[in-house]
Each structure stands twice: as structure tokens, then as C-alpha cells.
Amino acid sequence: MSSKTPASVTAQRALDLLLDCPPALLDTTFDQLRTLLVVHETGSALRAARALGREQSSVQKQLDTLNRNCQVLCGEVLTMRQGRGKDYLFTPTGEASVRLARTTIEHWTESVHLSRRRLGRMLTVGTTEFTLPIISRAWERVQEEFHEEDVEFKVVHVRTKDLWSRLETRQVDLMCGSIVSTPDGDVRLRDYDVVEFACGSPILLTNLTPEDLPDDPVPTSSLADIPLVLPPAGLIADFLACWYGQSFRDRLDVVADIDDIHYGLSLLRSGFVQGCMVVTESIGRRMSGHRDPDEMPLRSLRLHDDMEPKAEIMTGAFARRADLRRYAAGHPLNRLWQAVREDGARFRAPARASS
């Protein structure tokens, strides 16, 4: 009768499986897997070589090695040439290997980044175009210390519509941006610490004449009667959803769809489209006025919020509360967050003094 327990049998089987790995599998490297993925994305060894900054012969050699090893392991190569100028054909085994390689590299990369963050070796901050000064001022306070400690500090551009997804998927440690704030708050904020820098209302930027749209404050309830240039998602879309519901596009007169605020401004300035854009106050004040004789002048008009719920634009910095508590006070994230908090307090002080 065997004296081995089920746990010991399972452990032995796991060890045997590791020891019995085929040599061809053990010879496969992450570099080879990355090359396979780049070839799959670009379609050819030549384009993959350009993307990787290598010679085509080097990429082709790695493909040949992978094909030879896969033929031994599975009985089928990964890729096949289809003739000059044509993309590589990936076999069923090749497509399955691509999916596995992508998952493997993504998981390893994510794990390495998480470890570097936990150990304070890496810090990634996301910021929108208009909130970059927030992190710039805080960075000045910790820059010298981070350089001395060899902390890898990255700043990535994040569009407002991607703010929450970047935070929730842990692609950034700290985020600077703007969100829609209502009296009921945002349930998404329950897991985050927030430093508020500014809070205000959006305004209307328009190329319509005063005869078509007077300078008086425009009630938000009348936006349905005004031609609008709108983005499909983001801060302004969130605002309109507060006032007009998730199907706001069906209730408004949308004369142009834009994916970038600068394109919307160009549309209005060119006169190609007659209408309005709902924008933040800082953008509106900056962009209104006549800048070029060949462009239409833009006016900025105040919005009077006569709908429920009342909504404002809150600009600030966001960090996961669990991370701030998990790391020691000397961790780079907590030190940078403290610098942001102190800057936020100074930033709000003049506003409190003038109110």
C-alpha cells in the first residue's frame, strides 16, 4: 500500500512534467516569441525587421528556428511563405502559438511592471493634455531624489475618455485629468484618493453670430435647439449624458462628429460647419476671439445649468487608495502623491482668498 499522499503525488507529477519538457520547447526564447508576434502584426519579415530595428536575415533566421522546432514538437510549421510581396500565411498551429505568445509576454511584462512598482523602481503617471502642469509642478519637487534613487518615471498622454480604463486596468499609478462631478458624487471614486485643483462649469464655443445666438447665458435645456459639434465619448459626452441621458445624441442636433477637440475647433474656425461646441472654460477662453483674418471668429458663451442633476467639471489628481496604503510612506508613489497634495493646497489657496 502506497504511503504517498495525494498532495505529494500531485507535486511529483508537476515536477516530472517540468523535467520532461522537450528540448525544442526549452530553446524557445522571449525574443523569438516577440519576433513571431511582430511578423504576425506586420505580415512580413522585412516589415518586422524595420519595426524591430534589425536585419531581415536576423528575423528570418528566428522564424526558421521557430518553424523547425514547431515541426519537431507539433508536426506543423508556424508560418509559410506565399510568394514575393505577399504576407506570411500562419498555420492553425501558428495562430494558436501567436495567441499563446501574446498572452505569455503580456502576463510577464505586467508582472515585471507590478514588481518594479511595488519595489519603488518604476512609476507611471497619466495626464491629459490640459492637466500636464499638475504633474509637472509636483515632479519638480521630487525629481532630484528620484534621479538619485534611479526610479524609472514615465508620463503618458491619456485622453479624457480613457481616464477610468487606464486607472482601473492599472496602466498608470497616478492620473491627472478632469471628470464630471455631481452632488451625488461618482461611485467610481470610492476606491481612489482625490486631490481637487479646480471645479467649474463648461461653456459654449460658437461661430454663430450674435443675431443667431445672443451673448446672454445659454440655458442647458436649450442645447437641443442649437447645432452642436460633439465628440462620441469623453468629458463633454459625460456632461450631456447627465443632462439628456445616455441617448443624448438622439435628442440633440448634431451637425458634426469629432474625435479630437482641435479638429472641432478647426471646423468652427473654417466656417465649414455652423454651430457650437461645449468645452471647458479654460479651453473656451483660450480659443475664443479672432486670430486670423481668414478664419471665423469664435465667441465663448456662458451656460446656465437649468437641468438636473447639477454638474460641474472637477479637475484633479487620482490615485488608487489601496496602493497608497499598501506602500510605505517612503515609496515613490506616496512621495509624489504628497507633492501633488501640497501643490493642490497652494493652488486652491488663492481661490479661497478671493472668494
Side-chain angles (χ1 to χ4, degrees), residues 331-352:
H331 189 279
L333 176 59
N334 278 312
R335 286 152 60 191
L336 181 63
W337 185 248
Q338 181 61 28
V340 170
R341 289 174 61 90
E342 292 172 359
D343 183 60
R346 289 200 305 271
F347 191 84
R348 294 191 302 273
R352 288 195 298 265

Side-chain angles (χ1 to χ4, degrees), residues 73-342:
L73 291 168
C74 307
E76 183 179 46
V77 295
L78 299 173
T79 64
M80 293 188 296
R81 296 183 182 181
Q82 299 190 92
R84 180 179 293 274
K86 294 185 178 181
D87 289 352
Y88 275 89
L89 173 66
F90 276 70
T91 66
T93 301
E95 291 290 352
S97 298
V98 164
R99 291 191 295 271
L100 182 60
R102 181 173 287 111
T103 301
T104 300
I105 290 179
E106 286 177 354
H107 284 179
W108 267 90
T109 302
E110 181 181 1
S111 179
V112 168
H113 286 171
L114 287 175
S115 294
R116 286 175 60 80
R117 287 172 177 171
R118 176 177 54 83
L119 296 171
R121 307 305 301 169
M122 175 181 176
L123 202 58
T124 303
V125 175
T127 174
T128 64
E129 177 182 354
F130 302 102
T131 57
L132 183 59
I134 293 177
I135 201 61
S136 177
R137 292 190 300 267
W139 169 244
E140 291 178 357
R141 305 189 62 185
V142 298
Q143 179 180 6
E144 186 175 345
E145 297 175 6
F146 281 17
H147 279 323
E148 290 177 355
E149 298 167 16
D150 199 24
V151 177
E152 181 183 352
F153 183 77
K154 291 184 177 181
V155 177
V156 296
H157 175 224
V158 178
R159 303 185 67 176
T160 302
K161 65 184 180 68
D162 300 321
L163 186 150
W164 289 114
S165 64
R166 291 291 190 98
L167 274 171
E168 292 167 356
T169 56
R170 304 179 70 84
Q171 296 181 49
V172 296
D173 299 290
L174 187 153
M175 175 68 75
C176 299
S178 300
I179 64 170
V180 175
S181 175
T182 65
D184 295 333
D186 192 321
V187 295
R188 292 174 296 187
L189 287 176
R190 65 180 182 274
D191 296 326
Y192 297 91
D193 273 4
V194 180
V195 176
E196 180 181 318
F197 278 78
C199 201
S201 301
I203 64 175
L204 209 59
L205 200 62
T206 183
N207 60 5
L208 296 175
T209 65
E211 289 74 22
D212 293 325
L213 189 63
D215 287 332
D216 297 331
V218 179
T220 54
S221 58
S222 68
L223 288 177
D225 303 319
I226 299 174
L228 294 173
V229 175
L230 294 181
L235 184 67
I236 299 306
D238 289 345
F239 252 104
L240 295 172
C242 280
W243 293 326
Y244 288 91
Q246 293 300 322
S247 58
F248 64 89
R249 301 182 70 81
D250 297 332
R251 302 177 58 187
L252 300 174
D253 180 15
V254 182
V255 294
D257 288 300
I258 60 170
D259 193 41
D260 180 87
I261 187 171
H262 299 290
Y263 181 65
L265 293 169
S266 297
L267 279 177
L268 294 181
R269 288 192 180 280
S270 69
F272 186 73
V273 169
Q274 297 287 319
C276 308
M277 285 177 58
V278 181
V279 298
T280 63
E281 185 174 3
S282 60
I283 295 174
R285 303 299 182 195
R286 192 185 318 167
M287 299 301 176
S288 61
H290 197 64
R291 294 192 169 192
D292 190 308
D294 297 326
E295 293 181 337
M296 292 193 68
L298 302 181
R299 294 182 298 135
S300 58
L301 305 177
R302 290 191 297 116
L303 281 172
H304 168 57
D305 190 356
D306 61 346
M307 302 179 70
E308 296 293 340
K310 303 300 181 185
E312 291 184 308
I313 295 175
M314 194 276 279
T315 299
F318 311 86
R320 285 179 294 273
R321 187 173 295 118
D323 288 348
L324 296 173
R325 293 175 177 175
R326 180 184 302 117
Y327 302 143
H331 189 279
L333 176 59
N334 278 312
R335 286 152 60 191
L336 181 63
W337 185 248
Q338 181 61 28
V340 170
R341 289 174 61 90
E342 292 172 359

